[in-house]
Structure formats: structure tokens, C-alpha cells
Amino acid sequence: MWCFSGQTISCKHVDLPLLALAGIACFMLFRTRCSSSKAKSECYSVEEMEDGLSQLPDEVLCFIISQLPTQDAVKTSILSRRWRNLYKFTTRVKFHCCDMLGCCFRDRDQQKFWMLQQKFLEGVYTFLQLRSGCKITSFDLSCCSSKFFLNSFCKLFPYFGKVGVEQLNLSYSCSPVPFKSGPTFPCHQLLSATPSLKYLQLAGFFVPKSRFENSCNSLNTLKLYCVTLAPGAVECILTNCLSLKSLALLCCALPTKLCIHGSNLLLEFLMVEYCDNLEEINLHAVNLITFEYMDVKMSEIVFNHVPLLQNISISMYGDNAIPYVFGKLTKDLHQLKRLSFSTSPKYYQGLDEIPGVINTLSNIKELVLLVASELEFDLRKISLFLDACTVLQKFSLVTKGAAFDGQRVAKTSGVHHSQLKEVEFCRFTGTKTEVDFALYILKTAVVLERMYIGIYPLLSTKSEPLWDEEKQNMIRKQFQEQALSKNVVVITQVSHSRVLRFPRERWRPASTW
């Protein structure tokens, strides 16, 4: 906490630029007062002047230093006596070998590179020794060295426990996409030596099936990225990490069958994306609430016992993707409330000609459909999914700049959506077909309260002109007049961002990322 102009501000809610600006303001104010006093009294020497930033409380300065790379944070110790030991009290530490040593060493001199890597790890070890007894909440370490790697890393484990690390990121690479053939990582040793650990992220390692001497009662979030897991490794971790609530497997190499089960399993969130070799996922998790799966292939997903599962996000491709997800997969999940689905538009073809492909989803309250392709797409297919969700309250359609060019949507399908309150169309391009589809929703939603239309300009010269402000006003007025609900508010917004935003981030736990 610190005071400025009579107000108390918490440093946890202040951005770094604002803090720097406050320091500069204090310094300028001091210089102004000093200049005014020169005419009345003798001038202060430069050595006697103290900058405004150094007048801030220690906790604010430590917060500022914690936002810097570790090597820069250490350099602040030479600024003055006041700053000499402040870096030792930062709670966030980050060591990346390539940032400190330079990536060029690996290309020029291999032997010199290994020597520097060893010195780097020894420096990290010495840093932790000096910080023993001081709290470090977050510790981030990336190291590309394989020589003496295991022994050097294991030597750090006890010190992670001594400084009370709660969030730990360890990577066998400084590149964004690590190799999956990294050294063996002893998870059981790390978890046994760090009883305070709550969040663990590993990247680029091989994780074997290990025998835990003691169970881990603190870890609640585990994220594995580009990690190779031996058969039984995941099951072993789940059995021994009794408080684990969130598990993310991203671009990992897994056994053909992944079993998520345990008599005391507390797991609430599971994400499996683009994992090699995986053919089947077997879920027996009594506390699982959210499940995400994404891959270019289709894996068999078996829901043995998931009584609390409410949120599912599925992205898969194949001729049977839609019948599998909206038929077999959701058949027995009566408690399911939110479903998001992504596939190519070509797999929607012929759905209206095959009865019974889409089951009646009587409990789905929120539906998100992502059309991830530039192919032409008939929006009439979407009405099949809306009609199947009889108690739907929120619907989101996300496109990727697709050129919709299908036939006009029917004015009504004979189905009135009696509970639909919110509709979100992302990255619409302003075509006539899209307008007709939006009108279809407005004419069938009895209690609709809000319709958001995100307009995205196509780069193709064949596309219709972008909705300018005048056209947006005309469209909004037309929608308001023809809407079945008299309380609906239509919002249009032009976005030039090429980033495709999938609305699932709202219900993904922040600890996973």
C-alpha cells in the first residue's frame, strides 16, 4: 500500500507504467520545489537530492522490480544504498538461459555453450541459496542443457521448498515449441521436496511412471506441454496428487489409451489438445465439471462416470464428427449445460437430409459453434442445432472470415425458441445471407434480450461492402422492428483484428493458463 495525493492505492492493482509515472511525478515535484527555494536559500547539492521513486515504500519498489527480468532486477542493486538489497525480496523470479547467455553460443561453439549452461545452473543454485528463508511465490526456469541436467535440476528441488515456491514453470527449452524428447524428469522428487507447490508447468521432458514415497496434498494445477508420458505416468500422478483439480495436456506424446480415474480424484477441469498416439480417453471422474478436447483426428471418448460434467468443448474433424458429438457423445450426458463444437463446414453437408443425426439436447443452455474454414457455408444448417436445444438461453456462432453464400434461410422453421436470451455472432462479413439468418433468430426468439454482431471485413474483392455506420444504423433499426421480442437490444461492432476469439475463455479456469 502507498499514498499519493491523499489516496491509498494497493500496488496489486496498479500497472507498472502508472508506478513509473508516479515516481517521475514525485521527482519533478521535488525539483520544482527545489528550484523555487534556490531564490530564497542556498541550493542543495546533487548528492543531497533524492529522487521521488526511491521515496516509495519497499513493497511498491519490490513490485516494480518483480516485473523486470531477473538479470535486470539484480542490476538495480547498484543504483543506491536504498536499492542494494531490494531485489532479494521480489516474489517472482524468472531465469531463461538464452536470455542471459545468448542463443548464438550454441551455433558457434558447442563446448563453450555447455560450459556456460553449467555455470548458468550453478548461478541459479547460488541465487536460491542466498534467498533461502525469503518467500518466492513464482519461479520460472528454462534451460537447454542436457549435460549434467538431471543432477543439476534435482539439486534445486530442496531450495524450491525452502523459499516456499507456489507456482513453478520448468522448461527444457527456451523456444516456444520444445522438443518432446527431453531428459527424464522425476516428478515424485520435486513434489516431495516442495510441499508448498500449487501450480506446476513442465515443457519438453519425459515423465516416467514413478513411485511416490509420500502423497502430494498441495498441487492443484498441472500443465504439461510437449511432454512425453510413459504408460501409467498420468494415472500415477492422479493417484498421488490428492488435491489436483486442473490437468492440461497440450501437444504431448501419450499412450494410446488415457484413463482418468481414481477413488479420491478431485479433478474438475481436464484439457487434452493435439496429443500424439492417443486413440481413447476413458473418464471416470466424479468431480469433473469441464472437459476440453481438440485434435485433427477423432479419438474415442468414453464417459464412464461423470455425474457433474456440465461444460464440454470439442474440436475434431471427420465425416462422423457431427453425428458422434451430437449423437453418441451427448446421448447419456443429461446434466450437460454448455457445449462448444468446432469442425469444418464440409461436414455439415447433408445433415438436413438424414433424420436422427442430432439428438434432442434437452438440458443445453449455452451452445457455441465454430466454423473454422474459408469454405462457403449454408447457414440453414445451423438452425438444426438451435432447434435441437429446446431450453437454449445463449447461442454463439464464431466464424473465421468465411464467405457465406448459401440460400436464404427460411423465415421460420415452425420452432419458437422460448428461452433464448442472448445471441452472439462473431466475425460476420455483412452478406445478405447473414442478415437473413439474424432475422430468423429474431423472429423465433420470444424473450431475446441481446444480439451482438461482430463485423469483420473480408479481404476478398468479391465480398459485399463492409457495413459502414449508416448501414449499421439501418440494420439495427430493421432488426428492432422485425424482432419478436420487444426488449431486444441489437449491438453491432466493426473489428479489424485477425485473431479468432473462441468464447470458451469465459469458463476456462485462469489457473490453467
Side-chain angles (χ1 to χ4, degrees):
M1 305 286 291
W2 59 292
C3 296
F4 188 73
S5 300
Q7 296 182 352
T8 301
I9 303 176
S10 174
C11 63
K12 294 183 179 179
H13 303 288
V14 182
D15 292 333
L16 181 60
L18 182 58
L19 291 173
L21 184 60
I24 295 172
C26 292
F27 179 72
M28 294 180 65
L29 179 62
F30 178 85
R31 290 294 301 270
T32 302
R33 291 177 177 177
C34 181
S35 299
S36 301
S37 63
K38 282 182 180 179
K40 301 178 181 179
S41 61
E42 60 184 66
C43 180
Y44 293 99
S45 64
V46 177
E47 290 77 8
E48 293 174 332
M49 294 175 58
E50 185 178 5
D51 64 277
L53 189 61
S54 294
Q55 295 179 5
L56 296 175
D58 287 350
E59 56 267 26
V60 177
L61 296 179
C62 289
F63 173 80
I64 296 175
I65 295 174
S66 67
Q67 309 303 311
L68 301 173
T70 302
Q71 62 269 34
D72 293 336
V74 175
K75 292 177 182 178
T76 61
S77 62
I78 66 173
L79 294 177
S80 66
R81 292 181 180 179
R82 172 75 190 286
W83 292 76
R84 183 171 298 172
N85 295 311
L86 286 177
Y87 77 94
K88 297 180 181 179
F89 299 96
T90 58
T91 59
R92 298 174 58 186
V93 178
K94 182 181 294 186
F95 286 101
H96 286 194
C97 67
C98 287
D99 290 343
M100 294 185 173
L101 306 178
C103 299
C104 57
F105 286 113
R106 189 161 196 168
D107 299 328
R108 295 180 181 177
D109 190 335
Q110 188 79 358
Q111 186 63 30
K112 185 177 180 180
F113 177 79
W114 298 132
M115 292 176 61
L116 289 173
Q117 287 284 355
Q118 187 62 21
K119 289 183 179 180
F120 167 74
L121 287 174
E122 290 295 335
V124 176
Y125 175 69
T126 303
F127 177 87
L128 286 173
Q129 281 184 311
L130 295 174
R131 289 293 303 270
S132 182
C134 299
K135 180 72 173 179
I136 296 180
T137 304
S138 175
F139 195 91
D140 191 330
L141 175 60
S142 296
C143 183
C144 304
S145 175
S146 59
K147 194 174 184 180
F148 312 116
F149 181 87
L150 185 58
N151 292 334
S152 299
F153 251 50
C154 291
K155 191 166 62 172
L156 300 175
F157 293 169
Y159 288 93
F160 291 152
K162 290 181 179 180
V163 298
V165 171
E166 297 179 359
Q167 179 172 329
L168 184 60
N169 300 334
L170 299 176
S171 176
Y172 175 62
S173 176
C174 289
S175 65
V177 183
F179 292 106
K180 301 177 185 177
S181 56
T184 301
F185 189 87
C187 274
H188 62 292
Q189 294 184 26
L190 171 65
L191 296 177
S192 299
T194 317
S196 58
L197 193 61
K198 297 180 180 180
Y199 176 100
L200 175 60
Q201 177 176 316
L202 298 177
F205 297 104
F206 170 74
V207 176
K209 181 181 179 181
S210 305
R211 183 175 181 178
F212 285 71
E213 296 181 359
N214 300 307
S215 298
C216 177
N217 297 317
S218 61
L219 188 67
N220 55 45
T221 301
L222 176 61
K223 181 178 179 180
L224 303 178
Y225 177 57
C226 289
V227 169
T228 300
L229 292 125
V234 174
E235 291 82 351
C236 185
I237 292 174
L238 293 174
T239 303
N240 291 277
C241 297
L242 303 180
S243 300
L244 191 65
K245 293 185 177 181
S246 178
L247 174 62
L249 305 173
L250 310 176
C251 303
C252 294
L254 301 176
T256 56
K257 184 176 181 179
L258 176 64
C259 295
I260 305 296
H261 62 80
S263 56
N264 299 316
L265 192 62
L266 298 179
L267 194 67
E268 298 178 357
F269 177 87
L270 174 63
M271 178 168 58
V272 181
E273 295 189 356
Y274 300 109
C275 290
D276 298 340
N277 307 323
L278 189 61
E279 297 178 1
E280 180 181 335
I281 303 176
N282 196 301
L283 299 177
H284 189 286
V286 295
N287 292 294
L288 190 65
I289 298 175
T290 300
F291 172 66
E292 292 187 17
Y293 173 83
M294 181 178 294
D295 212 329
V296 294
K297 61 181 185 302
M298 290 180 56
S299 297
E300 183 75 15
I301 303 175
V302 181
F303 297 100
N304 274 332
H305 187 53
V306 284
L308 299 182
L309 186 61
Q310 298 182 6
N311 308 314
I312 289 184
S313 175
I314 300 287
S315 177
M316 58 173 57
Y317 299 83
D319 294 334
N320 296 323
I322 294 178
Y324 177 71
V325 174
F326 290 90
K328 179 181 178 180
L329 195 65
T330 56
K331 182 178 181 181
D332 299 323
L333 297 177
H334 303 295
Q335 76 281 10
L336 194 64
K337 294 182 179 180
R338 188 186 192 281
L339 174 62
S340 58
F341 177 68
S342 171
T343 193
S344 174
K346 66 180 181 180
Y347 301 124
Y348 285 89
Q349 302 302 321
L351 287 180
D352 48 356
E353 301 174 0
I354 308 176
V357 172
I358 303 176
N359 287 335
T360 299
L361 307 176
S362 56
N363 292 315
I364 296 291
K365 294 184 178 181
E366 183 174 354
L367 179 65
V368 179
L369 297 179
L370 173 63
V371 183
S373 176
E374 307 291 341
L375 299 176
E376 294 181 354
F377 181 65
D378 190 347
L379 282 173
R380 290 181 301 176
K381 311 293 183 182
I382 300 299
S383 62
L384 299 174
F385 299 90
L386 294 176
D387 296 346
C389 301
T390 55
V391 295
L392 192 65
Q393 296 181 5
K394 182 173 182 179
F395 171 66
S396 299
L397 178 63
V398 188
T399 66
K400 193 178 181 181
F404 292 112
D405 194 25
Q407 301 178 17
R408 288 193 177 187
V409 181
K411 293 183 178 180
T412 177
S413 62
V415 177
H416 278 208
H417 304 289
S418 59
Q419 299 187 38
L420 187 60
K421 295 181 179 181
E422 186 173 353
V423 175
E424 181 178 0
F425 297 136
C426 298
R427 294 171 69 94
F428 264 27
T429 57
T431 63
K432 180 64 175 176
T433 305
E434 293 168 337
V435 174
D436 289 342
F437 182 71
L439 285 172
Y440 158 73
I441 298 292
L442 290 167
K443 292 178 180 180
T444 55
V446 182
V447 294
L448 190 65
E449 298 175 355
R450 177 181 179 271
M451 175 179 284
Y452 170 81
I453 301 178
I455 309 167
Y456 176 77
L458 280 177
L459 299 179
S460 172
T461 56
K462 297 181 180 180
S463 63
E464 297 186 15
L466 177 66
W467 295 355
D468 54 21
E469 188 63 32
E470 182 179 353
K471 187 173 182 179
Q472 290 184 53
N473 294 332
M474 181 187 67
I475 291 294
R476 283 195 293 266
K477 183 179 180 181
Q478 179 186 2
F479 284 178
Q480 297 281 164
E481 293 174 350
Q482 300 191 45
L484 185 61
S485 172
K486 301 305 179 183
N487 299 320
V488 63
V489 176
V490 180
I491 303 170
T492 60
Q493 182 179 5
V494 178
S495 173
H496 295 272
S497 173
R498 297 190 62 83
V499 179
L500 181 63
R501 302 190 182 277
F502 201 13
R504 65 182 177 180
E505 280 72 16
R506 291 189 299 271
W507 49 279
R508 171 181 289 166
S511 59
T512 306
W513 297 102

mmCIF file of all heavy atoms in Angstrom, residues 59 82 86 89 221 267 273 317 354 385 402 415 435 446 452 475 492:
data_model
loop_
_atom_site.group_PDB
_atom_site.id
_atom_site.type_symbol
_atom_site.label_atom_id
_atom_site.label_comp_id
_atom_site.label_asym_id
_atom_site.label_seq_id
_atom_site.Cartn_x
_atom_site.Cartn_y
_atom_site.Cartn_z
ATOM 1 N N GLU A 59 7.517 -2.179 -0.456
ATOM 2 C CA GLU A 59 6.659 -3.143 -1.144
ATOM 3 C C GLU A 59 6.321 -2.692 -2.564
ATOM 4 O O GLU A 59 6.175 -3.516 -3.470
ATOM 5 C CB GLU A 59 5.367 -3.398 -0.357
ATOM 6 C CG GLU A 59 4.537 -2.166 -0.038
ATOM 7 C CD GLU A 59 4.868 -1.591 1.323
ATOM 8 O OE1 GLU A 59 6.003 -1.794 1.793
ATOM 9 O OE2 GLU A 59 3.984 -0.942 1.914
ATOM 10 N N ARG A 82 19.731 2.419 -0.951
ATOM 11 C CA ARG A 82 18.325 2.050 -0.750
ATOM 12 C C ARG A 82 17.947 0.842 -1.613
ATOM 13 O O ARG A 82 17.148 -0.011 -1.212
ATOM 14 C CB ARG A 82 17.431 3.244 -1.105
ATOM 15 C CG ARG A 82 15.932 2.931 -1.124
ATOM 16 C CD ARG A 82 15.370 2.803 0.281
ATOM 17 N NE ARG A 82 14.017 2.289 0.265
ATOM 18 C CZ ARG A 82 12.942 2.983 -0.099
ATOM 19 N NH1 ARG A 82 13.070 4.237 -0.494
ATOM 20 N NH2 ARG A 82 11.750 2.426 -0.038
ATOM 21 N N LEU A 86 16.954 -4.701 -2.377
ATOM 22 C CA LEU A 86 15.524 -4.817 -2.659
ATOM 23 C C LEU A 86 15.205 -6.008 -3.567
ATOM 24 O O LEU A 86 14.162 -6.661 -3.421
ATOM 25 C CB LEU A 86 15.001 -3.526 -3.295
ATOM 26 C CG LEU A 86 14.833 -2.327 -2.353
ATOM 27 C CD1 LEU A 86 14.375 -1.108 -3.133
ATOM 28 C CD2 LEU A 86 13.844 -2.649 -1.237
ATOM 29 N N PHE A 89 13.975 -9.414 -2.288
ATOM 30 C CA PHE A 89 12.658 -9.588 -1.697
ATOM 31 C C PHE A 89 11.543 -9.671 -2.741
ATOM 32 O O PHE A 89 10.372 -9.643 -2.391
ATOM 33 C CB PHE A 89 12.370 -8.443 -0.717
ATOM 34 C CG PHE A 89 13.349 -8.370 0.422
ATOM 35 C CD1 PHE A 89 14.435 -7.503 0.362
ATOM 36 C CD2 PHE A 89 13.213 -9.187 1.526
ATOM 37 C CE1 PHE A 89 15.343 -7.444 1.402
ATOM 38 C CE2 PHE A 89 14.128 -9.135 2.570
ATOM 39 C CZ PHE A 89 15.200 -8.270 2.507
ATOM 40 N N THR A 221 -2.967 -27.580 -9.747
ATOM 41 C CA THR A 221 -2.972 -27.338 -11.191
ATOM 42 C C THR A 221 -1.698 -27.898 -11.801
ATOM 43 O O THR A 221 -0.601 -27.577 -11.358
ATOM 44 C CB THR A 221 -3.063 -25.832 -11.505
ATOM 45 O OG1 THR A 221 -4.255 -25.295 -10.925
ATOM 46 C CG2 THR A 221 -3.101 -25.604 -13.008
ATOM 47 N N LEU A 267 -10.416 -33.970 -9.494
ATOM 48 C CA LEU A 267 -10.225 -33.260 -10.761
ATOM 49 C C LEU A 267 -11.529 -32.645 -11.253
ATOM 50 O O LEU A 267 -12.539 -33.333 -11.407
ATOM 51 C CB LEU A 267 -9.676 -34.226 -11.812
ATOM 52 C CG LEU A 267 -9.109 -33.592 -13.079
ATOM 53 C CD1 LEU A 267 -7.845 -32.808 -12.771
ATOM 54 C CD2 LEU A 267 -8.823 -34.654 -14.130
ATOM 55 N N GLU A 273 -5.284 -31.561 -25.828
ATOM 56 C CA GLU A 273 -5.226 -30.926 -27.146
ATOM 57 C C GLU A 273 -4.009 -31.408 -27.927
ATOM 58 O O GLU A 273 -2.884 -31.344 -27.425
ATOM 59 C CB GLU A 273 -5.184 -29.395 -27.002
ATOM 60 C CG GLU A 273 -6.451 -28.808 -26.403
ATOM 61 C CD GLU A 273 -6.496 -27.291 -26.472
ATOM 62 O OE1 GLU A 273 -5.495 -26.701 -26.927
ATOM 63 O OE2 GLU A 273 -7.516 -26.707 -26.091
ATOM 64 N N TYR A 317 -12.313 -33.390 -36.515
ATOM 65 C CA TYR A 317 -12.618 -33.360 -37.940
ATOM 66 C C TYR A 317 -12.796 -34.787 -38.439
ATOM 67 O O TYR A 317 -12.102 -35.706 -38.014
ATOM 68 C CB TYR A 317 -11.495 -32.660 -38.717
ATOM 69 C CG TYR A 317 -11.309 -31.224 -38.293
ATOM 70 C CD1 TYR A 317 -10.546 -30.902 -37.171
ATOM 71 C CD2 TYR A 317 -11.930 -30.191 -38.985
ATOM 72 C CE1 TYR A 317 -10.397 -29.597 -36.760
ATOM 73 C CE2 TYR A 317 -11.776 -28.878 -38.575
ATOM 74 C CZ TYR A 317 -11.013 -28.585 -37.463
ATOM 75 O OH TYR A 317 -10.867 -27.286 -37.051
ATOM 76 N N ILE A 354 -30.680 -36.328 -43.403
ATOM 77 C CA ILE A 354 -30.555 -37.563 -42.628
ATOM 78 C C ILE A 354 -31.225 -37.356 -41.278
ATOM 79 O O ILE A 354 -30.684 -36.678 -40.397
ATOM 80 C CB ILE A 354 -29.074 -37.946 -42.415
ATOM 81 C CG1 ILE A 354 -28.332 -37.974 -43.750
ATOM 82 C CG2 ILE A 354 -28.958 -39.280 -41.702
ATOM 83 C CD1 ILE A 354 -26.858 -38.240 -43.623
ATOM 84 N N PHE A 385 -29.276 -27.257 -35.172
ATOM 85 C CA PHE A 385 -28.712 -27.342 -33.832
ATOM 86 C C PHE A 385 -29.518 -26.489 -32.850
ATOM 87 O O PHE A 385 -29.719 -26.880 -31.699
ATOM 88 C CB PHE A 385 -27.256 -26.885 -33.853
ATOM 89 C CG PHE A 385 -26.377 -27.733 -34.734
ATOM 90 C CD1 PHE A 385 -26.197 -27.429 -36.071
ATOM 91 C CD2 PHE A 385 -25.734 -28.846 -34.215
ATOM 92 C CE1 PHE A 385 -25.389 -28.208 -36.880
ATOM 93 C CE2 PHE A 385 -24.924 -29.631 -35.016
ATOM 94 C CZ PHE A 385 -24.753 -29.310 -36.348
ATOM 95 N N ALA A 402 -15.335 -16.597 -43.018
ATOM 96 C CA ALA A 402 -15.873 -17.466 -44.053
ATOM 97 C C ALA A 402 -16.806 -16.689 -44.982
ATOM 98 O O ALA A 402 -17.531 -15.795 -44.558
ATOM 99 C CB ALA A 402 -16.631 -18.633 -43.424
ATOM 100 N N VAL A 415 -40.402 -23.536 -35.177
ATOM 101 C CA VAL A 415 -39.929 -23.697 -33.804
ATOM 102 C C VAL A 415 -39.692 -22.315 -33.204
ATOM 103 O O VAL A 415 -39.037 -21.477 -33.808
ATOM 104 C CB VAL A 415 -38.621 -24.516 -33.763
ATOM 105 C CG1 VAL A 415 -38.101 -24.603 -32.335
ATOM 106 C CG2 VAL A 415 -38.854 -25.899 -34.346
ATOM 107 N N VAL A 435 -27.572 -11.574 -42.798
ATOM 108 C CA VAL A 435 -28.679 -10.739 -42.346
ATOM 109 C C VAL A 435 -29.952 -11.563 -42.234
ATOM 110 O O VAL A 435 -30.702 -11.457 -41.252
ATOM 111 C CB VAL A 435 -28.887 -9.545 -43.300
ATOM 112 C CG1 VAL A 435 -30.138 -8.758 -42.909
ATOM 113 C CG2 VAL A 435 -27.656 -8.640 -43.274
ATOM 114 N N VAL A 446 -38.544 -15.593 -28.517
ATOM 115 C CA VAL A 446 -39.637 -14.859 -27.894
ATOM 116 C C VAL A 446 -39.132 -13.867 -26.844
ATOM 117 O O VAL A 446 -39.650 -12.748 -26.741
ATOM 118 C CB VAL A 446 -40.633 -15.848 -27.239
ATOM 119 C CG1 VAL A 446 -41.815 -15.098 -26.620
ATOM 120 C CG2 VAL A 446 -41.118 -16.861 -28.259
ATOM 121 N N TYR A 452 -25.548 -9.535 -30.337
ATOM 122 C CA TYR A 452 -24.284 -8.874 -30.650
ATOM 123 C C TYR A 452 -23.792 -9.378 -32.009
ATOM 124 O O TYR A 452 -23.731 -10.579 -32.249
ATOM 125 C CB TYR A 452 -23.237 -9.164 -29.580
ATOM 126 C CG TYR A 452 -21.850 -8.716 -29.966
ATOM 127 C CD1 TYR A 452 -21.461 -7.384 -29.825
ATOM 128 C CD2 TYR A 452 -20.936 -9.616 -30.499
ATOM 129 C CE1 TYR A 452 -20.191 -6.971 -30.192
ATOM 130 C CE2 TYR A 452 -19.663 -9.215 -30.874
ATOM 131 C CZ TYR A 452 -19.296 -7.896 -30.720
ATOM 132 O OH TYR A 452 -18.050 -7.493 -31.089
ATOM 133 N N ILE A 475 -29.517 -1.406 -40.332
ATOM 134 C CA ILE A 475 -29.685 -2.813 -39.981
ATOM 135 C C ILE A 475 -30.267 -2.948 -38.576
ATOM 136 O O ILE A 475 -31.189 -3.743 -38.332
ATOM 137 C CB ILE A 475 -28.348 -3.561 -40.089
ATOM 138 C CG1 ILE A 475 -27.914 -3.661 -41.560
ATOM 139 C CG2 ILE A 475 -28.439 -4.947 -39.472
ATOM 140 C CD1 ILE A 475 -28.813 -4.520 -42.409
ATOM 141 N N THR A 492 -23.920 -3.723 -32.887
ATOM 142 C CA THR A 492 -23.007 -4.027 -33.991
ATOM 143 C C THR A 492 -21.665 -3.363 -33.723
ATOM 144 O O THR A 492 -21.607 -2.242 -33.219
ATOM 145 C CB THR A 492 -23.562 -3.537 -35.338
ATOM 146 O OG1 THR A 492 -23.757 -2.123 -35.293
ATOM 147 C CG2 THR A 492 -24.872 -4.237 -35.669
#
